[in-house]
Amino acid sequence: MADSDPNMGGGKNRCEAISWQELLAQDSRPAPAILTEESYQYRGSDPIAAERYTSEEFAKLEREKMWPHVWQFAAREEDIPEPGDYTVFENAGRSWLISRQEDGSVKAMHNVCLHRGRKLRTEDGTADKFTCPFHGFAWNKDGSFAGMPCSWDFKHLSAEKMQLPEAEVGRWGGYIFLREEPGGPTLEEYLAPIPEFFKRWRHEECTTVIWVAKEVPANWKVTAEAFMEAWHTVVTHPQLLPFTGDANAAYWTYGDNVNVNHVPFGIMSPHVDPNGKTQQWIVDEFCKYNGRSADNYDASGDPFAVSVPEGMTARAALGAAMRAGYTAQTGYDHDHATDAELLDGLVYNVFPNFAPWGGFMPNIVYRWRPGKTPDTCLMEVRILARVKKGDPMPHGVPMKLLSPDQKWTDAPELGVLGHVFEQDMDNLPYVQTGLHASKTGEVNLGDYQEIRIRQFHQTLDKYLNGELGAKA
C-alpha cells in the first residue's frame, strides 16, 4: 500500500487501495446516494493546541459558551415509555429530569430544589410528583409547583416563581434531546442531513438492548476523537485487519454539526499481505472478532456458519447471510439493503458528543460526557436492536455503570466489543498524560482521515467565539 503523490496536499491524498465508492459499486445491491456522494472539504492543516484537552479554563468556556446552546442527546423514548416515567440526565454541571407527560410529550426540567438546592432525584423511576427529601418542597411531573410544608413562612414565593426551569425538548428517531438555552436551529436543522439519511434505517423502531458506561481517565474530546477515525486499527486493533478496510474508509463532513466515517468490513485491510489469504479466511476472521456478528447468521444460531461459494467475495457472502438473518429476526424485508448497510461501520457524529451508527445491523450509539475535571469523562455504549414487526416496544435496558477498577470486558453483554474498547483504553490515559507533558503544546492532524476531528474543533471554536450560540 502506498499513498498518492505526497506533494499534492490540500486533503487530496488517498490510499491507493480500492476506494469506498469503488467498493460500493461492487455491492450486490445499488447503494443510495447518501452512501456514495462525497462530502469532503479541506479545512487547513494547522496544528491545534493541546491545552484544549487539559485546561480547566478551556473546560469552563465549554460549559459557559457551548454546552447550554447545543442540542444534547439526553435519553431514548424507550427509557421512559409510560406517563410518569422519568430519567435523570446529567452533563457539564447540570442535572435534569426528563419526564414523560400524560399526553405522551416529554419535558426536561432542572433537577434542583428551588428551596435549598438539593437534587430532587438521583435515580431513574416513575413519579407523578417530585418531592424534595430535605424539606418536602414538591413539584408535579410537569414542573409546576405542588406545595411545601410551613407555607405560611414563604408567602414571598409564588407558584409561578417556583416553577422548575425547563429546557427545550426535541425528539427524532426515538432519541430525546434537550437544549438548555432557547433559540437557534430546530433539532431537525441541527441534525441535518441525518434525519433524511436515517429514514432508511428507522431507529424509531429500535430499542436499547445493551447499555454500558465507564469513566475514562481522559478528556471527553480525546475519548470521542478515538472513535472518529478508523486508521488507528492498524496498530491498536490488529485482530480486525483481516476483515476491515481501515485505509479504504471514507471521511465526510456536513456543515458544522455532522460528520461520518464509512468503514468497510468484509475486505482485507491494505496493510495485510493478501498472499495465501482466501475469501473464506476473511469471513472466518470476521466471525471471530467482529462484535456484531454473533446473531447475524442462519437459524441454527452458529455464527461461524457462513461459507463463501466459489466465485463470491467474502463481503457478498456476509451481506447475503445478514440480509436473510435480519429479515428472519425482525419480520422486515431487507432485500433492498446494500451489503454496506448490513455489514459496515457507518459511524455518524453529531456535535458535540452523540454518535449513532447507521445501517440495518444492531446499531451502536456512543455518547461522551465531560467529567469533574478535564482529565476524565464518562463514555457510554448503547446497542439498539430493531423490535420485531408487530411486537410492542419493550422498555430499554438500564445503564450498567462499570466501576473505575472494572474493564469493558467485565460487561459480557458487549461480547468481543469489550476487548476492542479495552484496546482503546490502553491508549487514552496515556494520550491525556502525554498532552499535559507536551513540549510543543500542539496536536497535528491528517488532512483526510482526521478531517472529522478538525471539523469538530472548528465548530467548537464557533461557539467559544460567539459565532454560534450566545453572541459575545
Side-chain angles (χ1 to χ4, degrees):
M1 190 274 291
D3 287 332
S4 302
D5 180 357
N7 298 314
M8 288 177 64
K12 297 178 181 177
N13 290 329
R14 300 289 186 275
C15 175
E16 288 186 348
I18 186 170
S19 72
W20 168 257
Q21 288 98 329
E22 291 169 338
L23 186 65
L24 261 62
Q26 299 177 6
D27 270 10
S28 58
R29 303 290 189 278
I34 62 174
L35 296 181
T36 60
E37 291 183 356
E38 181 170 323
S39 183
Y40 172 83
Q41 174 191 354
Y42 175 63
R43 293 171 177 263
S45 301
D46 291 340
I48 60 176
E51 68 178 1
R52 299 170 75 90
Y53 305 96
T54 61
S55 163
E56 172 55 33
E57 182 179 352
F58 192 87
K60 183 173 183 288
L61 288 174
E62 292 176 345
R63 292 192 296 269
E64 292 176 352
K65 296 191 173 186
M66 184 271 286
W67 286 112
H69 303 285
V70 296
W71 284 106
Q72 302 177 43
F73 165 44
R76 285 275 305 172
E77 298 280 359
E78 67 270 15
D79 297 341
I80 51 169
E82 300 297 331
D85 289 347
Y86 68 89
T87 184
V88 176
F89 170 64
E90 299 190 330
N91 188 40
R94 297 291 191 215
S95 184
W96 305 89
L97 292 167
I98 314 298
S99 175
R100 180 78 66 185
Q101 304 301 300
E102 288 297 326
D103 62 359
S105 65
V106 175
K107 288 201 169 190
M109 300 159 289
H110 279 262
N111 180 31
V112 177
C113 177
L114 298 181
H115 172 221
R116 297 267 290 276
R118 191 196 193 279
K119 287 182 179 177
L120 297 172
R121 291 290 187 272
T122 57
E123 297 180 347
D124 300 350
T126 301
D128 288 328
K129 186 177 291 186
F130 300 111
T131 301
C132 179
F134 196 0
H135 294 90
F137 279 62
W139 286 264
N140 299 310
K141 65 172 176 282
D142 65 358
S144 60
F145 189 54
M148 73 288 206
C150 297
S151 60
W152 55 266
D153 203 20
F154 295 90
K155 296 302 183 183
H156 54 291
L157 297 180
S158 66
E160 181 180 6
K161 184 174 182 179
M162 294 299 285
Q163 174 87 23
L164 287 177
E166 293 183 33
E168 288 187 302
V169 171
R171 298 159 69 185
W172 162 80
Y175 300 95
I176 300 170
F177 295 79
L178 67 78
R179 180 167 57 189
E180 180 177 348
E181 295 295 334
T186 65
L187 177 61
E188 290 72 19
E189 291 168 341
Y190 189 90
L191 296 175
I194 281 185
E196 181 64 29
F197 287 9
F198 277 56
K199 283 180 179 178
R200 290 175 64 89
W201 306 319
R202 308 187 311 280
H203 280 205
E204 63 274 11
E205 296 174 358
C206 300
T207 192
T208 301
V209 294
I210 298 171
W211 185 6
V212 182
K214 178 174 170 55
E215 183 178 287
V216 178
N219 185 265
W220 71 277
K221 298 182 294 296
V222 165
T223 308
E225 289 165 16
F227 298 86
M228 289 189 195
E229 44 84 7
W231 76 282
H232 69 279
T233 301
V234 65
V235 175
T236 301
H237 309 299
Q239 80 278 11
L240 307 183
L241 295 176
F243 56 86
T244 303
D246 56 329
N248 311 89
Y251 296 87
W252 298 338
T253 63
Y254 303 90
D256 289 324
N257 300 325
V258 177
N259 58 54
V260 68
N261 179 195
H262 294 309
V263 186
F265 293 140
I267 65 168
M268 281 184 283
S269 164
H271 297 99
V272 172
D273 182 356
N275 290 328
K277 308 297 194 301
T278 66
Q279 295 297 302
Q280 187 63 52
W281 178 78
I282 296 173
V283 167
D284 293 343
E285 293 299 298
F286 179 91
C287 293
K288 290 178 188 176
Y289 298 116
N290 183 275
R292 293 166 293 113
S293 64
D295 297 320
N296 292 340
Y297 298 93
D298 67 5
S300 70
D302 180 4
F304 303 97
V306 175
S307 297
V308 183
E310 186 71 28
M312 181 178 284
T313 66
R315 184 174 170 83
L318 287 166
M322 291 183 175
R323 192 173 289 109
Y326 289 145
T327 298
Q329 290 169 20
T330 68
Y332 292 97
D333 184 9
H334 287 73
D335 186 65
H336 68 292
T338 65
D339 298 336
E341 293 173 294
L342 297 162
L343 182 60
D344 295 339
L346 313 179
V347 190
Y348 288 83
N349 271 70
V350 176
F351 184 85
N353 66 334
F354 169 52
W357 284 40
F360 289 106
M361 78 285 287
N363 298 86
I364 299 172
V365 180
Y366 300 125
R367 180 170 62 182
W368 303 273
R369 290 188 266 173
K372 294 180 180 179
T373 76
D375 296 324
T376 64
C377 73
L378 185 72
M379 175 174 168
E380 298 169 62
V381 180
R382 286 189 189 234
I383 309 293
L384 306 184
R386 194 169 308 283
V387 177
K388 191 166 186 177
K389 190 174 184 179
D391 285 358
M393 178 68 69
H395 199 293
V397 300
M399 184 180 79
K400 174 188 284 187
L401 178 61
L402 299 174
S403 73
D405 295 331
Q406 287 182 296
K407 297 180 180 293
W408 289 99
T409 48
D410 290 322
E413 58 267 44
L414 290 174
V416 297
L417 275 179
H419 178 61
V420 174
F421 294 146
E422 274 305 307
Q423 290 176 316
D424 290 309
M425 298 304 110
D426 289 341
N427 291 324
L428 297 180
Y430 300 106
V431 173
Q432 190 66 23
T433 56
L435 289 166
H436 277 284
S438 173
K439 172 68 173 177
T440 66
E442 294 180 346
V443 172
N444 292 288
L445 301 175
D447 288 341
Y448 180 63
Q449 294 180 107
E450 291 168 338
I451 192 63
R452 304 170 78 201
I453 299 174
R454 191 171 294 282
Q455 179 221 33
F456 171 86
H457 282 277
Q458 290 178 351
T459 299
L460 178 54
D461 282 341
K462 290 182 179 181
Y463 281 95
L464 300 189
N465 66 28
E467 186 177 345
L468 294 175
K471 298 300 182 183

